[in-house]
Amino acid sequence: MNNTKLISKNPNARHNYDIKDTLEAGIVLYGTEIKSIRKGKVNLKDSYAIIKNGECFIYGMHVSPYEHGNIFNKDPLRTRKLLLSKKEIFKLSNLVKQQGLSLIPMSLYFKGSFVKVELGIGKGKKLYDKREDLAKKDAQMKIKKAMKTLETINTTDYHKREYNQMQINKAYNILDKLNSELKKGGTNE
């Protein structure tokens, strides 16, 4: 049975990258780093992975020094080796070189007693892609909010019901406009 416990997520991964696929990898850590990770003192925000000399490494992953580790503590931002098979490394290497994809650590979690990294394989988003995603998310939130308020309104209160119906129609119009712009190939900005 696979017991997985999430330790940390990369908050910027899905915002800054269009993730095509994910891959699980082991990671080489020292004892004090494991103790610090068990306390949740790890940050994946600015981290990335690269393939160098047939091996995969993770850069920028911050593991805070263990409080009781004294001389055994390692550099918090040191380069850490990822454990992947040669076949997986070869596949990733080809994707990175030929298609221009990036390797992004998505999350760090325990699988049993081992620490694993979920690597995302994706392409960086442009600024207009991020704007489109935010606009779509905003329109969907407005629709959900309007639907929820419509459900809670008493049917005898006609004016409120009419106002919320206008909000729903407005949100649907925004979403339709966004979808049509996306089909055309982008926004008009």
Side-chain angles (χ1 to χ4, degrees):
M1 186 170 153
N2 293 337
N3 294 339
T4 58
K5 179 185 170 194
L6 184 67
I7 302 166
S8 177
K9 286 187 105 172
N10 188 344
N12 294 339
R14 295 217 183 262
H15 178 70
N16 292 336
Y17 295 92
D18 182 25
I19 305 299
K20 309 274 189 223
D21 195 14
T22 59
L23 181 72
E24 182 181 79
I27 185 167
V28 176
L29 297 168
Y30 289 98
T32 55
E33 290 177 321
I34 290 286
K35 290 178 182 180
S36 186
I37 286 172
R38 284 194 188 279
K39 289 190 172 191
K41 296 185 177 185
V42 63
N43 186 358
L44 294 173
K45 190 173 182 179
D46 295 326
S47 59
Y48 60 96
I50 63 168
I51 296 171
K52 188 193 294 185
N53 299 329
E55 295 178 327
C56 193
F57 296 95
I58 188 168
Y59 290 86
M61 184 174 98
H62 186 274
V63 178
S64 298
Y66 184 57
E67 298 156 359
H68 306 293
N70 57 41
I71 63 166
F72 299 108
N73 279 330
K74 302 293 179 191
D75 179 28
L77 289 172
R78 77 176 183 86
T79 303
R80 294 168 178 88
K81 185 177 178 182
L82 294 177
L83 304 173
L84 294 164
S85 68
K86 286 189 179 193
K87 191 177 190 180
E88 290 171 327
I89 291 173
F90 183 73
K91 177 186 159 192
L92 290 176
S93 176
N94 286 338
L95 287 172
V96 168
K97 287 179 185 172
Q98 292 173 359
Q99 297 180 14
L101 300 178
S102 302
L103 301 175
I104 308 100
M106 303 288 289
S107 63
L108 192 71
Y109 55 92
F110 280 108
K111 190 171 185 181
S113 62
F114 298 106
V115 176
K116 301 287 183 179
V117 177
E118 181 184 18
L119 270 182
I121 305 161
K123 196 166 193 81
K125 286 185 184 177
K126 304 284 186 207
L127 184 61
Y128 59 85
D129 290 335
K130 293 178 191 178
R131 280 192 207 134
E132 287 173 1
D133 286 348
L134 287 174
K136 231 180 185 181
K137 196 181 275 188
D138 187 43
Q140 289 172 349
M141 284 177 56
K142 285 180 181 177
I143 290 171
K144 282 184 182 180
K145 183 179 178 183
M147 294 292 273
K148 187 174 182 180
T149 54
L150 186 62
E151 290 173 1
T152 58
I153 288 181
N154 190 355
T155 55
T156 59
D157 197 355
Y158 178 75
H159 296 293
K160 280 188 180 178
R161 183 170 178 223
E162 188 175 294
Y163 172 74
N164 283 323
Q165 189 63 43
M166 287 178 6
Q167 282 183 324
I168 290 171
N169 290 338
K170 186 177 178 182
Y172 275 122
N173 289 338
I174 291 170
L175 192 59
D176 288 340
K177 181 181 172 186
L178 285 170
N179 284 332
S180 65
E181 286 176 359
L182 287 175
K183 288 177 184 175
K184 285 182 201 174
T187 58
N188 297 334
E189 293 181 279

